[in-house]
Amino acid sequence: MTDALTTPIRRLAAPLAVLLEQPRHGVPQTSEMLFGETCTPLDRDGDWVKVENRTDGHVGWLPPGTDLTEPVAPTHRVSGRVANLHPAPTHKAVPMAALSFGSLVTVAEQADAQFPGGWVRLDNGLWTFGKLLEPVAVPLDRVPVETALRFLETPYVWGGRSAFGIDCSGLVQVALRAAGITTHHSSGMQRNDDRLGPMVSTDGQGVDYRRGDIVFFPGHVGIMLDGATLLHATVFTMSVVTEPLADVAARAEGITGVRRPVF
C-alpha cells in the first residue's frame, strides 16, 4: 500500500476490512468496508492508512496489509446473504473466501452462456454462482424489513455491517441502503438524519407503530417488524433477534425517537 496516498480512490480487494478508530491494534472497530467498496485515503501513520469509505462517508483506519487496488467499475452486487468464492466453476471446489450481501463485484466471464445465472468468474480470477448476484443497474428498492430479516441470528459485532457480524446501526444502515437510502453507521447520527423519514415521535408515546418504523433508544436503534415487535442487533443476545418493543424499551430505559422512512 505504499502508493495509497498518491491515488485519489482505492478499491477494497479483500472480502472484508475493519475500520478502526485509531491506527493501532486493540482499539474498537467503528465500521468496516465490504469487498469492492471504494475509499479515499486521507492520512497515514506508518503502514496504517486513514480512509473515508465512499459508500457512507465513514472515516477510520485500515490495518497494515489491507488489500487495496485500483478502482474498477462494478458490474454486479451480492444479493445473496453470502456468496462463496471458488477456484473453479463447480460446487465441489472448496471455497477460498466469502462475500457479504452488498459487496460489489466485476464479472469477467460466464462459464456457460446457455445457463444464465450459473457460474461466473470475477475479475480476481475466482468463481461464484451468478444467482447470488444482481446487476448494479437494478434499482435498490428492496423492502428494508425483508432485508433486515435475512440477518436474523447473525452475530453481534460492534462496528459490523456484514453478514459475518453486524451491530444495531449497521443493520439499519444495510436494510435502508438496500432500499435506496444511504445513512450513517451510527445510531445517534441516524436519529438526526432526515433521509430516514420524518420524526413521528421523540419519545415513542402516542405512536401507531408500523412495519418499517425506525425506533431509537439511548445508544441503540432497531426496525419495527410489525406494530409491536422490534427487529434489531443487540448485545443482550449478541445477535440479531426479534423482541417485543416494550421489552426493549424497558431494558433501554426509554425511546428517544421514531422515524418513518418514505419510499
Side-chain angles (χ1 to χ4, degrees):
M1 296 197 305
T2 57
D3 64 341
L5 293 183
T6 63
T7 302
I9 299 173
R10 304 293 281 170
R11 179 181 68 147
L12 181 67
L16 198 67
V18 298
L19 288 173
L20 303 181
E21 64 180 25
Q22 298 176 31
R24 59 187 177 87
H25 294 294
V27 301
Q29 170 181 323
T30 63
S31 190
E32 58 191 3
M33 289 182 60
L34 306 181
F35 181 90
E37 289 187 325
T38 57
C39 62
T40 302
L42 303 174
D43 195 5
R44 76 180 310 146
D45 185 336
D47 290 330
W48 293 80
V49 180
K50 187 176 186 179
V51 301
E52 178 182 1
N53 186 347
R54 292 169 60 86
T55 296
D56 61 3
H58 199 96
V59 173
W61 290 88
L62 287 172
T66 302
D67 191 4
L68 297 177
T69 63
E70 295 285 344
V72 176
T75 60
H76 293 73
R77 53 178 171 256
V78 176
S79 55
R81 183 174 176 274
V82 172
N84 284 329
L85 301 183
H86 302 256
T90 170
H91 63 283
K92 296 182 180 180
V94 178
M96 300 180 66
L99 303 183
S100 173
F101 175 87
S103 297
L104 299 171
V105 301
T106 302
V107 172
E109 176 189 355
Q110 184 168 312
D112 184 353
Q114 303 304 312
F115 183 28
W119 291 96
V120 295
R121 182 175 61 83
L122 306 184
D123 65 333
N124 63 1
L126 298 178
W127 296 81
T128 193
F129 203 59
K131 288 185 178 179
L132 299 174
L133 310 177
E134 66 181 7
V136 293
V138 173
L140 290 166
D141 59 0
R142 289 187 177 85
V143 177
V145 173
E146 295 301 321
T147 297
L149 279 170
R150 301 177 70 177
F151 286 79
L152 272 175
E153 300 185 3
T154 297
Y156 181 96
V157 171
W158 177 265
R161 53 187 286 266
S162 77
F164 311 113
I166 201 162
D167 65 10
C168 64
S169 58
L171 180 66
V172 170
Q173 184 195 55
V174 169
L176 290 177
R177 179 160 175 76
I181 298 176
T182 298
T183 187
H184 311 281
H185 191 178
S186 158
S187 61
M189 296 177 74
Q190 287 174 354
R191 183 187 182 279
N192 297 321
D193 190 348
D194 289 336
R195 290 175 295 185
L196 274 65
M199 180 75 75
V200 298
S201 172
T202 57
D203 59 7
Q205 299 299 309
V207 180
D208 179 17
Y209 287 98
R210 300 179 187 175
R211 180 179 174 90
D213 283 351
I214 308 299
V215 185
F216 299 91
F217 313 83
H220 190 56
V221 64
I223 184 169
M224 294 300 293
L225 179 62
D226 53 39
T229 308
L230 188 77
L231 173 59
H232 63 147
T234 172
V235 296
F236 187 66
T237 61
M238 289 301 291
S239 63
V240 177
V241 296
T242 60
E243 290 187 86
L245 174 63
D247 291 357
V248 180
R251 196 166 64 236
E253 300 183 350
I255 293 172
T256 61
V258 181
R259 283 192 179 272
R260 183 161 292 160
V262 177
F263 301 99

